[in-house]
Amino acid sequence: MKKLFLGFCLLVGIATKAQTVADQPFLQDSADKFSLKEGEGNVNLLQVGSDRNKAIKVLSSQGLMLLYEKNLRQDVQYRPLLDMNIVALTEYQGQFVYLTEKAVLSNAWAGKLYINHGIEAPKAMGMGPDFLTLVAGEGNFAIFKNNQEVWRSSIESLNPISVQYDPNSGQFLLLTAEGLYQVDSVLKTAKKVFDGSDLTAFSLFEDTIVLGTTNGIQLLDRKTFTLNKLDQKLPWTEITSVNNIRGNLWFGSTKGAFKLREDGKYDYYASKRWLVDDHVADIAEGPDGSVLVLTQKGMSKIDFEPMTLAQKAEYFQEIQRLRHIRYGFTSDLAMRTPGDLSTGYFHDTDNDGLWTSMYLAGELFRYAVTKSEDAKQNAYEAFEAMERLTALPDLKGFPARSFERDGYEVGLHANGFSEEWRQQWEKENGRIWQLSDDELWRWKSTTSSDESCGHFFVYALFAELAPDKEWRDRAIHQIKIEMDHIMDNDWYLMDWNGKPTAWGKWNPEYVNSFPINVGDRRLNSTLILSFLQTAYHFTKDKKYKKGAEKLIKKYGYDENANRPATVIGFVEGEDLSNKWNHSDDEMYFLTIPGFVNYSFTEEQKAAHFNAAKSHWEVERSEKNPLWNYLFALSGGENIDSEESAWWLREFPMDLIDWKIDNDHRKDLTKIAPNFRSQTYTEVLPGDERTLHLHNGAYRNNGGSDGKREYAPYIYLLPYWAGRYVEAISAPQAE
């Protein structure tokens, strides 16, 4: 078994006991989106299909369109088709077949398929074996074989939507908005086998006929046509398309597309993460195992690629290095044009040190697992960026939030507060950005406790896992000077103006001012004890141990920290207890490896572990792999490894901050508003909800206008932490 923090394990010999999930290939879905060009807004997109040559064509109100080199454009390959009014298309034996006002025809089979159908106002066609063809129009239909008419008949008020051949019965099924007809080409009969209303689409699926309606789906027995079930527990009930694609049942709706899973639930594809827009016109089988989703404004090609979690990490690592490194920091990418990565640029944030510490930790874990020189180089580069956070301020160990060249700083706010708040802050406290001594750089002040959490977490990890002693010593020096700053300033982060920062407060007067039910009393006690234990562990300087003992014996910090997480709750009149703060979860879990593993005694360690376990138990419903793996680093067992792997598999490949809404979904069970802000009975997959960092949970709705790409460390840190604690195996062959 791989040992936990190496220095710690040399003392106590603890090893991980997480269950290992085999990293075998799974089908990773992702989407390519193709929008109509500007000026084509009046074009109605009607049908989509692909043939055995992997050509993708779209039928529109202005003729055929072809997907060519990432663009939807007019299809001019066959000039005769340009002069024909095509009203429907289908695929037969892997070839395109077209229904025009005059004929059914194809350019395959040497162009020999040509049926002059004679149907007025044709709308739909279906094909069976040996080119058996049914063409239906308003009030009438006809059947053809070998290009010759077999039978023609009429049905009063017939307004066909679609036609399919049922190989089980050897008969055609014809759908209208008011019912389903069965047409027998041999007996030359047509009968209405199901009366309905507001029908929109249908497909054959196993022993069932699945009917789409404007308010859910209806399931008919394929033999008897009896109604077995009306289902409205769907992501959305206004169905526009139904298709059986390679044995999977797909639905299009006016609010996205969804696929029926084996467990009876749905994979939901909506928002610009997946679709050009959410109003689906048609769904069809695409080339190479893909699914084509046609919407009002374009088409999406959803691919399903066999991939291991390790391959997914390689993909994200490339993106991280390519467009998410700023001066060695990890950085989100802002975009001037929504979704256009070529317009991306970097800017600072309030928590550059914290986010960078999380990417750096992932690279340290990767190095420990693989001994990759690339991982080591990336880690050292990130470390140097973080090291400079204390070098630029002349405040003896005070860590800046970030830095930027003078005149180019962007994030003038702090902690996400409003512009009005910033102005008021600067009026009372001075400018947030401070000029460095060389007058070339500005560093960002008002540093908060979450920055310190990231620093102490990753510097300890660096001191354990970095291969070069010189670099390990530099990390220990950072631990020392940051701890000294807090101790020398009466347990505060003391800013350039001589005032404590808004959140960098561990002083007993502040911490114990909160009732025991307020999370900050428990959290801040845990943080400062973990910092002191970490400093003592690496320096063996007794002043850190004495400082911790004073906080424990005189001010009850161990008692604060060891209370179970279940004590946290709403307290009347306390702003910090209105709801559960998931940013506190991030700080807590980054802190618990040091809090537990560097405890001064075995008795203290057991108490600290039990406190950490109580917090982990509260968090389990989120299925967050990072919390699970950090708990494993702290000695936790049975850490929900399978749920963690599920989270990693469902993490989206598209990291753009698209606006996402799930509030309309009828397939989810909502729960009453609650302290933890959980909306549904279970957490949604990551690719169906808005993106957020690890300091958020249950955010099912939100996002923005697509002008931000999140940095992939959100995936990379938990993946490599999982590999390190052996909760994920090395990649395995299928």
Side-chain angles (χ1 to χ4, degrees):
M1 302 291 284
K2 185 181 280 90
K3 298 293 179 70
L4 295 184
F5 286 121
L6 302 183
F8 177 77
C9 294
L10 291 175
L11 295 176
V12 295
I14 296 295
T16 62
K17 297 181 180 179
Q19 313 95 315
T20 302
V21 173
D23 185 15
Q24 296 179 328
F26 61 97
L27 288 180
Q28 176 65 62
D29 44 4
S30 61
D32 281 325
K33 290 155 285 185
F34 312 96
S35 300
L36 286 172
K37 294 181 180 178
E38 291 187 14
E40 296 179 340
N42 294 326
V43 177
N44 292 323
L45 304 182
L46 307 172
Q47 285 184 274
V48 65
S50 68
D51 66 3
R52 61 188 297 270
N53 304 313
K54 302 184 181 181
I56 296 174
K57 299 196 178 188
V58 170
L59 177 61
S60 78
S61 58
Q62 296 185 11
L64 277 180
M65 305 183 79
L66 175 70
L67 179 65
Y68 184 74
E69 292 184 348
K70 301 291 185 179
N71 291 307
L72 278 176
R73 58 181 63 179
Q74 184 183 26
D75 182 6
V76 297
Q77 290 181 334
Y78 280 93
R79 288 176 292 118
L81 293 181
L82 296 174
D83 297 324
M84 299 179 186
N85 183 14
I86 301 174
V87 296
L89 65 80
T90 190
E91 299 85 56
Y92 183 73
Q93 295 180 358
Q95 304 283 5
F96 285 116
V97 178
Y98 306 103
L99 173 64
T100 75
E101 285 185 325
K102 296 180 179 180
V104 174
L105 60 95
S106 177
N107 296 315
W109 308 291
K112 291 185 291 184
L113 176 62
Y114 189 91
I115 300 170
N116 192 346
H117 55 66
I119 297 290
E120 291 187 12
K123 289 193 171 182
M125 65 173 167
M127 299 185 70
D130 299 323
F131 294 90
L132 186 69
T133 304
L134 186 152
V135 180
E138 293 182 2
N140 58 4
F141 65 89
I143 296 178
F144 303 88
K145 189 171 185 179
N146 298 324
N147 291 2
Q148 300 298 314
E149 183 177 313
V150 174
W151 176 47
R152 182 180 296 263
S153 185
S154 61
I155 299 176
E156 186 178 354
S157 302
L158 179 68
N159 190 7
I161 295 174
S162 63
V163 176
Q164 288 190 47
Y165 179 80
D166 183 357
N168 287 4
S169 64
Q171 298 174 352
F172 285 101
L173 295 173
L174 189 157
L175 182 72
T176 72
E178 289 75 36
L180 185 68
Y181 293 82
Q182 187 182 56
V183 181
D184 191 320
S185 61
V186 177
L187 299 178
K188 299 181 179 179
T189 60
K191 60 181 178 179
K192 194 175 189 180
V193 292
F194 179 76
D195 272 309
S197 61
D198 299 320
L199 304 179
T200 58
F202 84 104
S203 185
L204 305 175
F205 184 70
E206 298 176 348
D207 58 355
T208 302
I209 299 173
V210 184
L211 297 175
T213 78
T214 58
N215 191 26
I217 59 174
Q218 296 176 342
L219 307 180
L220 307 184
D221 184 280
R222 194 163 169 176
K223 292 181 179 179
T224 65
F225 305 105
T226 56
L227 179 63
N228 290 336
K229 184 179 180 182
L230 170 64
D231 190 359
Q232 295 175 318
K233 197 172 176 61
L234 308 169
W236 188 238
T237 53
E238 191 174 359
I239 304 301
T240 58
S241 178
V242 184
N243 202 348
N244 182 347
I245 300 178
R246 292 181 289 269
N248 290 307
L249 194 58
W250 282 81
F251 299 89
S253 77
T254 55
K255 290 191 177 182
F258 42 95
K259 181 185 73 171
L260 180 65
R261 299 200 313 244
E262 291 183 0
D263 62 3
K265 298 180 181 180
Y266 294 93
D267 289 328
Y268 187 39
Y269 299 89
S271 82
K272 289 187 178 181
R273 177 182 292 159
W274 296 106
L275 307 177
V276 177
D277 65 281
D278 284 348
H279 194 123
V280 177
D282 192 24
I283 295 182
E285 180 176 345
D288 301 321
S290 67
V291 172
L292 308 176
V293 183
L294 187 70
T295 61
Q296 286 185 326
K297 299 177 182 178
M299 187 203 73
S300 294
K301 177 173 170 282
I302 301 177
D303 291 300
F304 298 86
E305 179 185 357
M307 182 179 288
T308 62
L309 295 176
Q311 289 172 323
K312 195 169 182 177
E314 291 174 4
Y315 169 81
F316 283 136
Q317 180 69 250
E318 183 174 337
I319 292 176
Q320 175 79 26
R321 301 307 305 178
L322 182 64
R323 54 180 184 258
H324 290 281
I325 302 297
R326 182 185 76 93
Y327 304 133
F329 290 129
T330 188
S331 174
D332 289 346
L333 188 73
M335 288 171 277
R336 292 175 176 85
T337 302
D340 185 351
L341 294 168
S342 69
T343 67
Y345 63 95
F346 299 135
H347 66 78
D348 53 85
T349 72
D350 284 347
N351 298 112
D352 283 349
L354 174 59
W355 313 143
T356 302
S357 74
M358 298 176 80
Y359 173 60
L360 170 53
E363 290 302 88
L364 289 169
F365 288 134
R366 180 162 78 103
Y367 177 79
V369 171
T370 67
K371 295 299 182 286
S372 162
E373 284 297 311
D374 179 66
K376 184 181 81 169
Q377 182 176 341
N378 294 343
Y380 286 2
E381 179 183 356
F383 176 85
E384 285 193 293
M386 292 188 62
E387 192 177 43
R388 199 172 187 218
L389 290 171
T390 54
L392 282 174
D394 187 18
L395 294 174
K396 296 183 180 179
F398 179 89
R401 288 181 178 272
S402 183
F403 56 78
E404 181 54 275
R405 297 183 191 276
D406 182 33
Y408 293 90
E409 61 273 22
V410 173
L412 298 179
H413 63 294
N415 286 328
F417 289 118
S418 66
E419 176 65 15
E420 291 76 14
W421 183 92
R422 180 190 69 81
Q423 292 176 359
Q424 182 64 29
W425 171 275
E426 293 188 355
K427 180 179 178 181
E428 296 176 358
N429 302 280
R431 195 177 183 199
I432 292 172
W433 285 90
Q434 293 296 303
L435 193 62
S436 63
D437 289 342
D438 62 11
E439 299 186 353
L440 295 175
W441 297 84
R442 285 199 179 266
W443 55 271
K444 197 171 191 178
S445 60
T446 73
T447 306
S448 61
S449 54
D450 38 353
E451 290 291 289
S452 296
C453 286
H455 291 204
F456 278 92
F457 163 67
V458 82
Y459 290 148
L461 197 65
F462 198 98
E464 299 283 12
L465 300 181
D468 303 307
K469 184 178 184 304
E470 175 191 352
W471 285 84
R472 294 197 301 270
D473 289 344
R474 287 166 67 174
I476 294 170
H477 175 71
Q478 289 299 121
I479 293 171
K480 175 176 173 53
I481 63 173
E482 292 195 28
M483 191 70 255
D484 286 348
H485 174 91
I486 295 171
M487 293 184 72
D488 292 344
N489 288 283
D490 200 20
W491 309 108
Y492 291 114
L493 280 179
M494 198 64 70
D495 218 333
W496 62 272
N497 55 9
K499 297 180 181 181
T501 65
W503 301 107
K505 299 176 180 178
W506 299 278
N507 183 280
E509 184 177 347
Y510 172 82
V511 171
N512 287 336
S513 68
F514 297 110
I516 63 172
N517 306 100
V518 175
D520 273 30
R521 179 165 178 159
R522 177 177 181 269
L523 176 66
N524 284 23
S525 298
T526 303
L527 301 187
I528 197 64
L529 291 181
S530 179
F531 298 169
L532 287 163
Q533 290 172 188
T534 300
Y536 176 72
H537 175 80
F538 287 105
T539 68
K540 294 300 183 284
D541 189 330
K542 292 182 180 180
K543 72 176 182 181
Y544 303 121
K545 187 173 183 180
K546 288 179 180 179
E549 289 172 344
K550 180 179 179 180
L551 294 177
I552 291 169
K553 294 176 181 179
K554 188 173 181 179
Y555 299 106
Y557 273 39
D558 237 5
E559 183 180 356
N560 290 341
N562 289 337
R563 289 192 181 96
T566 51
V567 305
I568 302 173
F570 174 73
V571 180
E572 190 71 36
E574 289 287 345
D575 290 340
L576 292 175
S577 67
N578 290 331
K579 62 181 180 180
W580 189 276
N581 188 334
H582 295 285
S583 289
D584 289 352
D585 292 330
E586 181 174 74
M587 288 191 279
Y588 190 82
F589 279 98
L590 290 177
T591 301
I592 61 171
F595 179 60
V596 175
N597 295 337
Y598 299 145
S599 297
F600 297 133
T601 66
E602 286 298 312
E603 181 182 9
Q604 187 191 44
K605 176 176 175 253
H608 287 180
F609 174 79
N610 287 333
K613 185 177 180 182
S614 75
H615 204 115
W616 174 74
E617 290 283 0
V618 171
E619 292 297 302
R620 291 180 74 177
S621 64
E622 294 178 22
K623 303 181 181 180
N624 188 320
L626 184 56
W627 302 167
N628 292 333
Y629 301 148
L630 289 175
F631 181 54
L633 272 176
S634 307
E637 302 178 20
N638 303 317
I639 60 162
D640 298 341
S641 295
E642 192 56 57
E643 289 81 355
S644 300
W646 169 85
W647 189 101
L648 292 168
R649 294 186 194 108
E650 296 293 333
F651 188 78
M653 302 295 279
D654 182 348
L655 300 186
I656 294 176
D657 188 25
W658 298 114
K659 185 174 178 59
I660 291 176
D661 180 23
N662 286 289
D663 198 49
H664 60 274
R665 292 180 62 170
K666 299 183 178 182
D667 60 326
L668 304 175
T669 303
K670 289 188 175 181
I671 60 178
N674 55 84
F675 184 63
R676 287 180 54 74
S677 301
Q678 185 173 349
T679 311
Y680 306 116
T681 53
E682 58 184 323
V683 65
L684 290 181
D687 60 3
E688 294 184 16
R689 53 190 167 106
T690 184
L691 272 169
H692 56 75
L693 307 179
H694 287 286
N695 60 355
Y698 306 121
R699 295 184 186 174
N700 301 307
N701 306 312
S704 64
D705 56 3
K707 288 187 175 182
R708 170 191 187 187
E709 183 185 52
Y710 280 87
Y713 78 87
I714 310 170
Y715 177 93
L716 293 171
L717 172 55
Y719 170 74
W720 286 111
R723 288 288 304 275
Y724 182 73
V725 301
E726 297 181 347
I728 306 170
S729 77
Q732 299 181 2
E734 188 173 4

